[in-house]
Amino acid sequence: MFFDKIFNWNAFISAFKPIITRVPTSFIITLIAMAIGLVLGLLLALIKLNKLPVLDQIRALAVSFIRGTPIYVQLLLTYTGIPLILKAINLNYGTAYNINDISPMLFVILTFAFNEAAYNSETIRAAIESVDVGQIEAAKSLGMTNFQVFKRVTLPEAATVAIAPLGNALMGLLKGTSLAFVAGVIEMTAEAKIIGGSSFRVFESYLAVALVYWAINLVFENLIRLLERRLQITPKQKNKSRLMPTGNPFEQSSVGNGGGDVV
């Protein structure tokens, strides 16, 4: 009886349906932002690895700023800064851009995408640097171009290393979408807040949304594990790839035996 007085089961159960209807919104933000973040993160990682002048300095400054400021503040800067930029463009060039025509979802996706790019760039860079140099040299000895080596050797090998941290980043991004209400996007957490404010059963609605987040992340966690197993290279395969000859075996044997030219 005491528990019934402090916890309302009806409010708890009824909160799930409206919260679940907001799951697609959180998924859209998560998946699009992660996809953009991976592409930008790869570009940033390549800029750092190749130490491109000017671009590398700009990259370092942007990554440092994004990693050194809260995502909440970044959302506020995006949500308030883009309208100011559009206003300045209208005043300088006589255009008539209307900030009301821009969906708040765009502000949220851009913010999360750039945030993910900053963190993913370091993960991708470390994964690329972990690739065995011998495999790269073997691929080049077969006549592959630098692009072919990167596409067929470096990127697949780096993916096996980066999949786990990038999977954690994806799960963190899903949880981070709970801040999207700052830009006026109604996702799962915002819906729980609305339900709690209207029913005066705040704890029940927040507990419901917590369980929904937990369930989704459990699914993500298992999918990431399956992907890791599919991409994983067994020690036997690694040893086999390292033992494969990169040149002409007859030439190697003839030199080792001290023989003459092979006709």
Side-chain angles (χ1 to χ4, degrees), residues 104-117:
M105 184 79 76
L106 180 62
F107 299 125
V108 175
I109 290 175
L110 286 177
T111 304
F112 280 106
F114 283 108
N115 186 270
E116 285 300 307

Side-chain angles (χ1 to χ4, degrees), residues 9-187:
W9 281 101
N10 291 330
F12 173 66
I13 298 300
S14 62
F16 278 96
K17 184 176 180 180
I19 289 172
I20 291 175
T21 59
R22 299 293 181 178
V23 170
T25 302
S26 298
F27 272 9
I28 290 172
I29 298 172
T30 302
L31 298 179
I32 296 179
M34 191 63 181
I36 298 174
L38 285 174
V39 175
L40 293 178
L42 177 59
L43 292 176
L44 293 174
L46 293 176
I47 289 173
K48 183 173 183 179
L49 289 171
N50 291 280
K51 294 181 172 58
L52 299 179
V54 181
L55 289 178
D56 190 29
Q57 285 73 23
I58 296 174
R59 176 211 58 81
L61 181 63
V63 170
S64 177
F65 176 80
I66 292 174
R67 296 180 68 182
T69 55
I71 185 66
Y72 180 80
V73 176
Q74 295 170 24
L75 278 168
L76 292 175
L77 288 174
T78 305
Y79 189 63
T80 58
I82 291 180
L84 292 177
I85 294 173
L86 291 179
K87 183 178 180 180
I89 292 174
N90 290 338
L91 291 175
N92 290 331
Y93 298 100
T95 55
Y97 293 114
N98 187 1
I99 188 60
N100 296 322
D101 295 335
I102 301 177
S103 172
M105 184 79 76
L106 180 62
F107 299 125
V108 175
I109 290 175
L110 286 177
T111 304
F112 280 106
F114 283 108
N115 186 270
E116 285 300 307
Y119 285 93
N120 290 347
S121 65
E122 293 301 310
T123 300
I124 296 172
R125 176 196 57 79
I128 292 175
E129 289 182 334
S130 69
V131 178
D132 188 3
V133 178
Q135 296 189 39
I136 297 175
E137 292 177 350
K140 288 183 178 179
S141 69
L142 295 175
M144 292 187 186
T145 63
N146 289 333
F147 179 76
Q148 289 175 328
V149 172
F150 182 77
K151 180 181 178 182
R152 299 179 183 180
V153 179
T154 306
L155 203 56
E157 286 286 331
T160 61
V161 178
I163 189 65
L166 290 178
N168 290 333
L170 178 66
M171 295 168 64
L173 177 57
L174 175 65
K175 292 180 286 185
T177 58
S178 60
L179 296 173
F181 70 91
V182 173
V185 175
I186 308 299
E187 39 67 57

